Amino acid sequence: MTSPLPAPIGVAVVGAGYWGPNLVRNFQSSPNFRLRWLCDLDVERAQRVLGGYSTVQVSADLDEVLADPSVDAVAIATPAGTHLPVAMAALRAGKHVLVEKPLAATHEEGLLLVEEADKRGLTLMCDHTYCYTPAVLRIRDLLAAGELGELHFLDSVRINLGLVQRDIDVIWDLAPHDLSILDFVLPPSVRPVAVAAHGADGIGAGRACVAYLTLQLNTGAIAHIHVNWLSPVKVRTAIFGGSKRTLVWDDLNPSQRLSIYDRGVDVASPEELGDEQRRDILVSYRSGDVVSPALTEREALRTMVDEYARAITTGTPALTDGRSGLRVLEILQAASRSLAEGGTMIKLNEGHTA
């Protein structure tokens, strides 16, 4: 006799704007969840998202949604400035919470959410969607397995024409993607310890539209992130340079997103060399094969939704839990401070936020 399947987790989505419809679609297609409510101040917009024949309930009243005992979990896709009150209300109502990036508007607000979830034994997860793409999951596995060797550098570029935001600069708009990916793929023993940021506002928008972040890692490695709203071409690439191999991720090349180069620089220690050789250069260049691993294409949001279900069901932290959201917020705030101080290197709290 087979054991009965676990009952689907009742979930409510809060926010029917830009990102909410994507969450609605993925929750509706997941056997792990049953979408109960879509909550938005604009009820007509929420109804349009659901379509005319949906049995999902619609409300503009968050309290009404949170009072429903069939709702076990909430997914929040509202502006960052509202994340603290909405997520806090959900946690205090005993609901598991998924929050669209960034976790909160400030590190201090994010810390309040993490502490509340811990106190109540509830799942708090941050929707760092890029971390659940097949490419990033593979990069994480490769670094964990030591396939690239010790990480020497990361060079990431995320540039495009628009969309200039009214309330945040390009660092807070685009860099959370790259910072969350870096946090996700680094082995536990490797972490950022300082950040410097430089930016420019060439169009008079009143905030940085082009920015460069430089992060120092505790291993001596360096990570460089370029974000830009003003580029006429769209580029999404990242190069992970290791002591053994170098990995190039081109997110806009679906036929070859990842390429692993067995090319690099080998440095011999003086102890390994004779007197004659010691007088010669210690650096040699290695040129080997290039491998492009096959990736199974799967929507990142669906993988993220499955991870949310796993974390709720098992009571263990999600891969991108509240603390990962806090670490990203810490770097963003330090980068803003550095930008205001003309690019000063700002030390992080030894890489720990909670």
Side-chain angles (χ1 to χ4, degrees), residues 228-299:
N228 188 341
W229 282 329
L230 306 181
S231 169
V233 294
K234 184 175 183 178
V235 180
R236 286 183 182 169
T237 60
I239 303 174
F240 294 81
S243 57
K244 294 181 182 177
R245 297 175 184 87
T246 295
L247 182 148
V248 177
W249 172 29
D250 183 354
D251 194 46
L252 301 184
N253 184 355
S255 63
Q256 190 175 323
R257 292 193 196 276
L258 297 184
S259 300
I260 302 172
Y261 291 79
D262 188 16
R263 299 175 185 170
V265 178
D266 293 328
V267 181
S269 64
E271 294 77 17
E272 297 173 352
L273 304 175
D275 292 337
E276 291 294 322
Q277 293 173 304
R278 198 172 285 128
R279 284 190 285 268
D280 296 329
I281 191 167
L282 304 182
V283 174
S284 61
Y285 294 93
R286 182 181 69 258
S287 182
D289 294 334
V290 181
V291 177
S292 297
L295 299 173
T296 302
E297 290 297 324
R298 190 171 193 258
E299 186 177 2

Side-chain angles (χ1 to χ4, degrees), residues 48-335:
R48 287 195 300 271
V49 169
L50 292 171
Y53 299 99
S54 175
T55 59
V56 178
Q57 298 181 84
V58 172
S59 178
D61 185 355
L62 179 63
D63 291 337
E64 179 186 14
V65 174
L66 297 180
D68 185 348
S70 72
V71 174
D72 307 300
V74 172
I76 299 167
T78 59
T82 68
H83 286 182
L84 176 64
V86 175
M88 188 64 78
L91 290 169
R92 288 175 176 166
K95 315 298 184 184
H96 303 286
V97 172
L98 168 72
V99 186
E100 172 55 36
K101 66 88 182 167
L103 178 64
T106 67
H107 180 270
E108 292 74 20
E109 291 184 359
L111 185 57
L112 291 174
L113 294 177
V114 168
E115 291 174 342
E116 189 72 21
D118 283 352
K119 183 173 71 176
R120 296 178 180 272
L122 294 167
T123 294
L124 176 63
M125 180 175 173
C126 199
D127 179 11
H128 290 151
T129 308
Y130 269 97
C131 296
Y132 296 96
T133 60
V136 173
L137 288 166
R138 179 64 65 88
I139 293 169
R140 185 175 191 260
D141 290 343
L142 290 167
L143 283 169
E147 292 293 320
L148 304 184
E150 182 182 343
L151 186 66
H152 287 167
F153 71 89
L154 164 67
D155 200 340
S156 180
V157 179
R158 184 177 300 273
I159 64 177
N160 197 8
L161 190 59
L163 178 69
V164 176
Q165 302 292 322
R166 294 192 301 270
D167 54 343
I168 55 175
D169 63 19
V170 71
I171 294 175
W172 279 81
D173 182 37
L174 298 183
H177 295 302
D178 304 280
L179 294 173
S180 64
I181 290 168
L182 183 65
D183 181 78
F184 187 75
V185 302
L186 287 179
S189 61
V190 183
R191 63 182 187 273
V193 293
V195 62
H198 296 81
D201 173 20
I203 60 173
R207 62 196 61 85
C209 296
V210 180
Y212 298 85
L213 276 65
T214 302
L215 291 97
Q216 294 177 350
L217 306 185
N218 63 326
T219 58
I222 190 171
H224 193 256
I225 296 170
H226 174 199
V227 287
N228 188 341
W229 282 329
L230 306 181
S231 169
V233 294
K234 184 175 183 178
V235 180
R236 286 183 182 169
T237 60
I239 303 174
F240 294 81
S243 57
K244 294 181 182 177
R245 297 175 184 87
T246 295
L247 182 148
V248 177
W249 172 29
D250 183 354
D251 194 46
L252 301 184
N253 184 355
S255 63
Q256 190 175 323
R257 292 193 196 276
L258 297 184
S259 300
I260 302 172
Y261 291 79
D262 188 16
R263 299 175 185 170
V265 178
D266 293 328
V267 181
S269 64
E271 294 77 17
E272 297 173 352
L273 304 175
D275 292 337
E276 291 294 322
Q277 293 173 304
R278 198 172 285 128
R279 284 190 285 268
D280 296 329
I281 191 167
L282 304 182
V283 174
S284 61
Y285 294 93
R286 182 181 69 258
S287 182
D289 294 334
V290 181
V291 177
S292 297
L295 299 173
T296 302
E297 290 297 324
R298 190 171 193 258
E299 186 177 2
L301 258 182
R302 179 58 186 274
T303 304
M304 187 279 299
V305 162
D306 289 346
E307 175 65 6
Y308 189 31
R310 186 205 62 77
I312 291 171
T313 303
T314 63
T316 56
L319 288 173
T320 53
D321 63 356
R323 281 178 168 76
S324 72
L326 271 184
R327 291 190 293 269
V328 170
L329 281 173
E330 182 188 15
I331 297 172
L332 287 172
Q333 286 196 181

